[in-house]
Amino acid sequence: MAEENREKGKEKEQEKEKGKEKEKVSEKVPGAAATEVSVEVGLAGHTLSKRILLSPGDPAPYPVGSRPVTGRRRPRLDGPQKVTGRAMFTHDVRRPGMLHARILRSPHAHAKIVSIDASALEKMPGVVFEIPGKDVVRYHGEAVLALAAPTRAAAEDALRAVRVGYDVLPHTVSLAAARKDSSPLVFQKPVEEKRSAGDVPGAAAALPQTGNVRGPKASGRGDVDKGFAEAEGILEVVTTTAVQTHVPLETHSLFAEWVGDTLEVQASTQGTFSVRDELAGVLKLPKDKVIVRAEFTGGGFGAKFGAGDYGVFAAKLAKKAGKPVLMALDRKEEHLAAGNRPDSWNRVKLGYRNDGTVTAVDYESFGTAGVATGTGTGGFVKSAYGFPAVRVAESDVFTHLGPGCAMRAPGHPQGCFAVETALEALAAKLGMDPLTLRLRNDPSEVRRAEWEIGAKEIGWSRRAGITKANEAAAAAGSPLRRGLGCAASVWYTFVAPGSQVNVRLHRDGTVEVENGVQDIGGGPRTPIAMVVAEELGLPVERINVKIGDSRYPFGPASGGSVTIGSLIPAVRAAAVHARERLLDVASKLLGAPASEVVLANGVFSAKGRTAEFRKVCSRLSGETLVVTGDRAKDYDGADTRIFGAQFAEVVVDVETGVAAVKRVVAVHDCGQPVWKTGVESQIRGGVLQGISYALFEERVVDERSGRVLNPNVEFYKILGSKDTPEIVPVLVDHYPGKNNAHARGIGEPATVPTAAAVANAIAHATGIRPTALPITPARILALLARVPAREVRA
């Protein structure tokens, strides 16, 4: 009865809030009536009816159930362009008279620039150069001078002709060394945090800075001290992770050309509009004097939001030369200066009861993003589980290394590895099944369903049998051990305010959709076309999607899983309004009220009469009808988190230390998927990147010289085709009730738990507990005491 009264009280409060919100919307839009509708929310088969307030002009959300076009699998629309080489990437751009740009980079980790002698460049035909004017370099690979020449070979020759005098200064390049009071300072004064479009939103309050340590930034919830006092036991685990570089297939690049006083750019970018805004700001140009195109980008995992110094150099060199300039970084530059996922040191202290319930968590992290900020890893511990009390302290540590930046789910893979390693250790200490312990601390209805689905798919019930088989293998002298591991994923619903989409209907029946969003590989053309095709009753191939141009309506930067969640509701709004306009035209043609006209398979019908789509379009009053859809504000009340549960199966050779991932089951929700093929592809890509992070990727720096020793893809190891396991993506049908299409992104979630699930599977297989990434053969052998620990790089 008490529970029932509490629920009734909640319902009354919710009704009050709905009334308040209705008043707010009416005030914001004078004369516009807000529409209140019922929507089914929750897991399919277990939905509840909820009243939500629609913004004026926003269509009602999709009802529960299958739809004719969206939510299905299909080939990507731009597939033929990509497989035939017709897709134009920035590296492919060629113009008559075009110059090739290169950057002279510091060979030192820390030095004063005493002199730059570029006199030889003035004698070289067709060469222009730009000196940024800095007097100190703070990392190996920092830009010292940029130039452009008629060919790339000529540009390389020109670089070798420049003479730079350096006064080499002391440096610090490791997290542990940089934290010491005696360590050389990277910055002489406090540094402000700069954020990019891919970062997790958070408070930007000023933080203390002592030496090279900036922080701690404190956050959390609940009474942690009380939680520890109520605990029946305490467990503490420390984990570390290495720097992971982005390694996109297409390196950072930008083509710049001045047409009169307008700068026209093609960029390999995750943010058409952020590149435009940055170039306009640096070059002091009106935004309408900068045009940025980015139809195809060869990969972007968080490092390609702005123009970067390389892009600014390209624009300035093009201005000086009066010719187009292409700046394309090479692979070494990509590793040294184009961004990375910061490394981390994480301490997790758990208070727990003997039934596996966590009562409190104290979490501390340090990380280095080189000369940048943003190394916090505490988001996961605060968001993933229902821990009642959490205290987080996060600190940046500056080093003389290239800047870190946003990388696919910033901070979360590191934080997930730390927390899930601690939970696995707790389960072992209590003699509990690891999944049972997680369910004891996981209140999310969505993820509890995901745990159940994933456990069945991976065959979690085999785990005890696998343990016995491993014991038998050891007794028989066989080196192979099998293991199962699991880990949770959490991410968030972010929206780019102001996103708009134009649907253009032409009198010949042509349909065009316009938005300035870039394609970084996820293929947004296809889901955009699917939504419009469904609303207009046309084949998907009839929809011409035009993206990647800053002259089109504003679109989101592709980071933080924001793209689809921001665009699709705007696309649907535009398509619904376009259909309504066509129904009005068709009603006159068919002699029936618009409410009685049906549009299906490209045909309008009413009262036994029909009219084809093209015929109705031919009756438009003008040559073209343009309808704009706006991304309305999200509805209140729904959980903004996106959940997931992943399971990994591994085989470890205890004689060689080699761990091989055999199978990964990745169960995720992203609201209602528009294009299942694309969603499943994103999940597979996230899993592959997570396995690579778990087992292979590690930047190696020489502490004496401060130089990166493996800025390439020969010695910076990434996962290859032979390391690729069977990946089983499973989508949970979920209606979150946040927007008119129940749309959410999926770019980040699959990367978050993969490394942790792999590590936990290795622990099950071998009985050792990996606490450092990557889990290399040498580290496994050291933990198995097959090689001395001193021979393994920390």
XYZ file of all heavy atoms in Angstrom, residues 76 78-95 98 100 248-256 265-270 293-301 304 325-328 518-525 547-548:
457
model
N 23.646 0.372 -48.258
C 23.843 1.807 -48.111
C 23.779 2.476 -49.477
O 24.245 1.930 -50.482
C 25.150 2.116 -47.391
C 26.407 1.649 -48.050
C 27.609 1.816 -47.144
N 27.824 3.187 -46.773
C 28.389 3.589 -45.627
N 28.786 2.688 -44.744
N 28.567 4.852 -45.364
N 25.315 5.090 -50.649
C 26.569 5.546 -51.238
C 27.560 4.400 -51.441
O 28.716 4.633 -51.778
C 27.208 6.639 -50.386
C 27.437 6.217 -48.945
O 27.339 5.019 -48.653
O 27.706 7.098 -48.108
N 27.114 3.163 -51.260
C 27.991 2.016 -51.455
C 28.632 1.970 -52.826
O 29.863 1.798 -52.936
N 27.847 2.124 -53.908
C 28.463 2.092 -55.250
C 29.534 3.159 -55.446
O 30.562 2.896 -56.080
C 27.268 2.330 -56.181
C 26.096 1.800 -55.417
C 26.377 2.145 -53.978
N 29.327 4.363 -54.891
C 30.341 5.406 -55.020
C 31.648 5.006 -54.342
O 32.736 5.261 -54.849
C 29.833 6.713 -54.406
C 28.729 7.395 -55.190
C 28.178 8.571 -54.427
O 27.295 8.411 -53.587
N 28.705 9.750 -54.694
N 31.517 4.372 -53.200
C 32.720 4.023 -52.434
C 33.475 2.843 -53.053
O 34.700 2.867 -53.137
C 32.350 3.749 -50.979
C 31.951 5.004 -50.237
C 31.822 4.793 -48.749
C 31.626 6.129 -48.044
N 31.524 5.967 -46.581
N 32.758 1.821 -53.465
C 33.462 0.645 -53.981
C 34.025 0.881 -55.379
O 34.953 0.173 -55.798
C 32.555 -0.609 -53.975
C 32.121 -0.947 -52.568
C 31.352 -0.442 -54.881
N 33.492 1.869 -56.108
C 34.027 2.167 -57.442
C 35.050 3.293 -57.420
O 35.640 3.609 -58.453
C 32.891 2.568 -58.404
O 32.217 3.728 -57.882
C 31.893 1.428 -58.578
N 35.255 3.911 -56.250
C 36.232 4.994 -56.160
C 35.703 6.339 -56.598
O 36.468 7.310 -56.722
N 34.397 6.445 -56.849
C 33.838 7.729 -57.270
C 33.587 8.684 -56.109
O 33.399 9.878 -56.305
C 32.529 7.506 -58.041
C 32.743 6.915 -59.418
C 31.450 6.795 -60.207
N 30.618 5.696 -59.721
C 29.410 5.850 -59.191
N 28.899 7.060 -59.042
N 28.715 4.806 -58.788
N 33.580 8.163 -54.885
C 33.419 9.039 -53.718
C 34.672 9.907 -53.590
O 35.794 9.399 -53.574
C 33.218 8.200 -52.462
N 34.475 11.205 -53.487
C 35.586 12.143 -53.476
C 35.952 12.518 -52.041
O 35.207 13.194 -51.349
C 35.222 13.412 -54.263
C 36.345 14.436 -54.339
S 37.780 13.878 -55.279
C 37.112 13.865 -56.942
N 37.126 12.057 -51.591
C 37.656 12.417 -50.287
C 38.613 13.593 -50.450
O 39.060 13.900 -51.562
C 38.365 11.216 -49.657
C 37.452 10.067 -49.322
C 37.098 9.132 -50.286
C 36.923 9.936 -48.043
C 36.251 8.080 -49.984
C 36.072 8.881 -47.732
C 35.731 7.957 -48.697
N 38.939 14.225 -49.346
C 39.813 15.398 -49.413
C 41.160 15.045 -50.031
O 41.728 15.823 -50.808
C 40.008 15.994 -48.010
O 38.727 16.306 -47.466
C 40.839 17.254 -48.058
N 41.698 13.888 -49.705
C 42.980 13.463 -50.293
C 42.907 13.351 -51.813
O 43.941 13.391 -52.488
C 43.386 12.107 -49.710
C 44.051 12.196 -48.379
N 45.325 11.738 -48.147
C 43.633 12.705 -47.196
C 45.657 11.926 -46.879
N 44.642 12.512 -46.282
N 41.692 13.211 -52.362
C 41.536 13.021 -53.806
C 41.476 14.325 -54.588
O 41.523 14.308 -55.824
C 40.246 12.241 -54.102
C 40.243 10.861 -53.484
O 41.318 10.238 -53.445
O 39.172 10.400 -53.042
N 41.349 15.456 -53.912
C 41.126 16.724 -54.600
C 42.354 17.107 -55.423
O 43.493 17.057 -54.933
C 40.806 17.848 -53.598
C 40.654 19.181 -54.331
C 39.536 17.515 -52.822
N 42.127 17.477 -56.636
C 43.182 17.994 -57.516
C 42.634 19.190 -58.300
O 41.497 19.163 -58.763
C 43.657 16.917 -58.499
C 44.334 15.706 -57.854
C 45.664 16.090 -57.204
N 46.322 14.935 -56.626
C 46.150 14.512 -55.369
N 45.294 15.155 -54.565
N 46.796 13.469 -54.909
N 43.446 20.229 -58.419
C 43.087 21.407 -59.195
C 44.308 21.825 -60.020
O 45.454 21.633 -59.573
C 42.696 22.567 -58.284
C 41.442 22.364 -57.472
C 40.167 22.560 -58.292
N 39.018 22.631 -57.411
C 38.402 21.586 -56.877
N 38.830 20.369 -57.160
N 37.367 21.736 -56.085
N 47.540 23.515 -58.375
C 47.432 23.299 -56.930
C 48.797 23.084 -56.289
O 49.672 22.418 -56.852
C 46.552 22.074 -56.672
C 46.288 21.753 -55.216
S 45.295 20.241 -55.025
C 46.569 18.993 -55.155
N 51.058 21.747 -52.843
C 51.025 20.749 -51.779
C 51.726 21.319 -50.552
O 52.863 21.798 -50.652
C 51.714 19.468 -52.231
C 51.009 18.779 -53.359
N 50.163 17.715 -53.173
C 51.005 19.051 -54.698
C 49.674 17.336 -54.345
N 50.174 18.128 -55.291
N 42.808 7.111 -38.128
C 41.771 7.053 -39.161
C 42.398 6.630 -40.483
O 43.577 6.876 -40.733
C 41.264 8.495 -39.232
C 42.447 9.313 -38.824
C 43.173 8.498 -37.788
N 41.621 5.981 -41.328
C 42.147 5.557 -42.627
C 42.611 6.762 -43.437
O 43.668 6.735 -44.075
C 41.077 4.774 -43.387
C 41.536 4.022 -44.635
C 42.596 2.993 -44.276
C 40.348 3.326 -45.295
N 41.831 7.838 -43.422
C 42.226 9.086 -44.077
C 42.798 10.019 -43.021
O 42.118 10.382 -42.067
C 41.025 9.752 -44.755
C 41.379 11.055 -45.462
C 40.157 11.787 -46.008
O 39.079 11.719 -45.376
O 40.281 12.429 -47.054
N 44.040 10.419 -43.186
C 44.647 11.324 -42.216
C 43.988 12.699 -42.285
O 43.264 13.018 -43.230
C 46.157 11.461 -42.469
O 46.355 12.016 -43.775
C 46.862 10.118 -42.357
N 44.271 13.534 -41.286
C 43.753 14.898 -41.281
C 44.191 15.618 -42.560
O 45.367 15.565 -42.939
C 44.294 15.668 -40.082
C 43.659 15.277 -38.783
N 43.750 14.007 -38.260
C 42.930 16.009 -37.886
C 43.106 13.965 -37.094
N 42.598 15.154 -36.854
N 43.260 16.278 -43.193
C 43.592 16.971 -44.439
C 42.586 18.087 -44.692
O 41.436 18.015 -44.251
C 43.606 15.994 -45.618
O 42.399 15.270 -45.687
N 43.037 19.106 -45.433
C 42.163 20.226 -45.782
C 42.664 20.849 -47.078
O 43.859 21.122 -47.227
C 42.127 21.261 -44.660
C 41.150 22.428 -44.848
C 40.461 22.780 -43.526
C 41.850 23.659 -45.415
N 41.737 21.060 -47.997
C 42.016 21.729 -49.264
C 41.422 23.129 -49.193
O 40.252 23.299 -48.837
C 41.382 20.956 -50.420
C 41.393 21.689 -51.732
C 42.515 21.662 -52.540
C 40.285 22.399 -52.154
C 42.530 22.344 -53.761
C 40.280 23.085 -53.354
C 41.410 23.059 -54.162
N 42.237 24.137 -49.505
C 41.795 25.537 -49.409
C 41.982 26.249 -50.739
O 43.029 26.110 -51.389
C 42.577 26.258 -48.320
N 36.595 25.499 -48.968
C 37.373 24.462 -48.308
C 36.718 23.108 -48.516
O 35.485 23.004 -48.495
C 37.471 24.768 -46.789
C 37.899 23.552 -45.994
C 38.420 25.926 -46.543
N 37.551 22.095 -48.727
C 37.084 20.723 -48.553
C 37.921 20.134 -47.438
O 39.145 20.222 -47.450
C 37.229 19.883 -49.819
C 36.766 18.441 -49.592
C 36.409 17.712 -50.861
O 35.930 18.315 -51.821
N 36.636 16.412 -50.888
N 37.245 19.527 -46.459
C 37.952 19.070 -45.271
C 37.580 17.644 -44.919
O 36.436 17.213 -45.090
C 37.625 19.982 -44.084
N 38.576 16.912 -44.422
C 38.321 15.603 -43.811
C 37.964 15.887 -42.362
O 38.832 16.006 -41.504
C 39.573 14.725 -43.898
O 39.357 13.493 -43.245
N 36.684 16.024 -42.102
C 36.263 16.554 -40.806
C 35.027 15.868 -40.260
O 34.237 15.284 -40.998
C 35.998 18.066 -40.908
O 35.656 18.566 -39.607
C 34.839 18.358 -41.849
N 34.877 15.981 -38.951
C 33.667 15.547 -38.268
C 32.710 16.717 -38.041
O 31.656 16.519 -37.442
C 34.034 14.937 -36.916
C 34.832 13.657 -37.019
C 35.287 13.147 -35.677
O 36.476 13.076 -35.417
N 34.354 12.782 -34.809
N 33.065 22.071 -47.466
C 32.435 20.858 -47.989
C 33.089 19.650 -47.338
O 34.304 19.607 -47.162
C 32.573 20.782 -49.509
C 31.956 21.974 -50.243
C 32.079 21.816 -51.754
N 31.594 23.000 -52.451
C 32.333 24.055 -52.768
N 33.623 24.059 -52.443
N 31.811 25.077 -53.390
N 32.278 18.672 -47.009
C 32.788 17.440 -46.391
C 31.808 16.303 -46.674
O 31.182 15.771 -45.775
C 32.975 17.630 -44.887
N 31.703 15.945 -47.948
C 30.752 14.887 -48.313
C 31.201 13.520 -47.828
O 30.388 12.700 -47.412
C 30.577 14.861 -49.831
C 29.711 15.970 -50.377
C 29.282 15.675 -51.809
O 28.443 14.771 -51.996
O 29.814 16.325 -52.715
N 32.504 13.260 -47.893
C 33.043 11.972 -47.460
C 34.289 12.194 -46.620
O 35.190 12.937 -47.018
C 33.403 11.090 -48.666
C 32.225 10.663 -49.491
C 31.902 11.352 -50.647
C 31.446 9.583 -49.106
C 30.819 10.959 -51.423
C 30.359 9.189 -49.870
C 30.040 9.877 -51.034
N 34.336 11.551 -45.473
C 35.503 11.601 -44.593
C 35.930 10.175 -44.280
O 35.103 9.351 -43.878
C 35.179 12.361 -43.298
O 34.954 13.738 -43.618
C 36.313 12.252 -42.291
N 37.216 9.911 -44.431
C 37.724 8.558 -44.231
C 38.028 8.245 -42.781
O 39.158 7.942 -42.427
N 37.021 8.345 -41.950
C 37.170 8.008 -40.537
C 37.416 9.213 -39.671
O 38.208 10.096 -39.998
N 36.701 9.263 -38.581
C 36.896 10.320 -37.588
C 36.377 9.807 -36.263
O 35.198 9.508 -36.134
N 37.246 9.689 -35.281
C 36.858 9.105 -34.000
C 36.952 10.113 -32.865
O 37.054 9.742 -31.704
C 37.727 7.878 -33.711
C 37.767 6.902 -34.843
C 38.915 6.722 -35.585
C 36.628 6.187 -35.184
C 38.943 5.831 -36.651
C 36.649 5.298 -36.244
C 37.811 5.118 -36.977
N 38.709 15.192 -35.320
C 38.566 15.984 -36.551
C 37.432 17.002 -36.494
O 36.710 17.195 -37.469
C 38.336 15.044 -37.745
C 39.546 14.215 -38.141
C 39.253 13.391 -39.389
C 40.474 12.634 -39.870
N 40.170 11.837 -41.083
N 45.552 25.088 -52.310
C 46.544 24.367 -51.510
C 45.881 23.153 -50.857
O 44.803 23.270 -50.268
C 47.159 25.266 -50.419
C 47.962 24.451 -49.416
C 48.044 26.337 -51.056
N 46.555 22.016 -50.955
C 46.115 20.808 -50.256
C 47.112 20.500 -49.142
O 48.303 20.338 -49.395
C 46.043 19.617 -51.203
C 45.754 18.253 -50.546
C 44.381 18.249 -49.883
C 45.861 17.117 -51.551
N 46.602 20.439 -47.914
C 47.407 20.047 -46.756
C 46.904 18.678 -46.302
O 45.764 18.543 -45.848
C 47.252 21.059 -45.629
C 47.932 20.656 -44.324
S 49.715 20.812 -44.349
C 49.893 22.591 -44.080
N 47.746 17.653 -46.443
C 47.384 16.300 -46.015
C 48.496 15.771 -45.126
O 49.636 15.607 -45.575
C 47.186 15.399 -47.224
N 28.221 16.096 -42.223
C 29.268 15.371 -42.907
C 29.064 13.859 -42.736
O 28.415 13.417 -41.805
C 30.640 15.759 -42.346
C 30.763 15.589 -40.854
C 29.906 16.564 -40.043
O 29.876 17.747 -40.337
N 29.193 16.069 -39.045
N 29.659 13.086 -43.633
C 29.630 11.625 -43.498
C 31.031 11.155 -43.127
O 31.955 11.215 -43.937
C 29.201 10.979 -44.817
C 29.232 9.456 -44.749
O 29.401 8.918 -43.640
O 29.093 8.817 -45.813
N 31.213 10.698 -41.886
C 32.530 10.236 -41.445
C 32.662 8.714 -41.589
O 33.607 8.124 -41.080
C 32.831 10.667 -40.000
C 31.879 9.992 -38.996
C 32.779 12.170 -39.873
C 32.273 10.226 -37.543
N 31.723 8.117 -42.300
C 31.767 6.680 -42.537
C 30.511 5.960 -42.103
O 30.249 4.838 -42.528
N 29.725 6.600 -41.253
C 28.501 5.969 -40.758
C 27.390 5.901 -41.779
O 26.455 5.115 -41.634
N 27.469 6.742 -42.819
C 26.488 6.678 -43.895
C 25.160 7.330 -43.611
O 24.112 6.694 -43.775
N 25.120 8.619 -43.171
C 23.831 9.241 -42.818
C 22.875 9.411 -43.986
O 21.677 9.567 -43.773
C 24.248 10.605 -42.245
C 25.604 10.878 -42.826
C 26.255 9.542 -42.965
N 23.369 9.383 -45.227
C 22.460 9.528 -46.370
C 21.353 8.477 -46.332
O 20.198 8.766 -46.638
C 23.244 9.379 -47.682
C 24.219 10.490 -47.995
C 25.037 10.122 -49.236
N 25.973 11.174 -49.602
C 27.171 11.340 -49.031
N 27.547 10.524 -48.060
N 27.969 12.309 -49.422
N 24.319 16.367 -48.668
C 24.907 16.695 -47.372
C 26.316 17.236 -47.571
O 26.836 17.321 -48.690
C 24.955 15.460 -46.439
C 25.873 14.386 -47.032
C 23.563 14.924 -46.169
C 26.133 13.220 -46.095
N 26.954 17.603 -46.437
C 28.367 17.947 -46.461
C 28.680 19.280 -47.103
O 29.701 19.414 -47.775
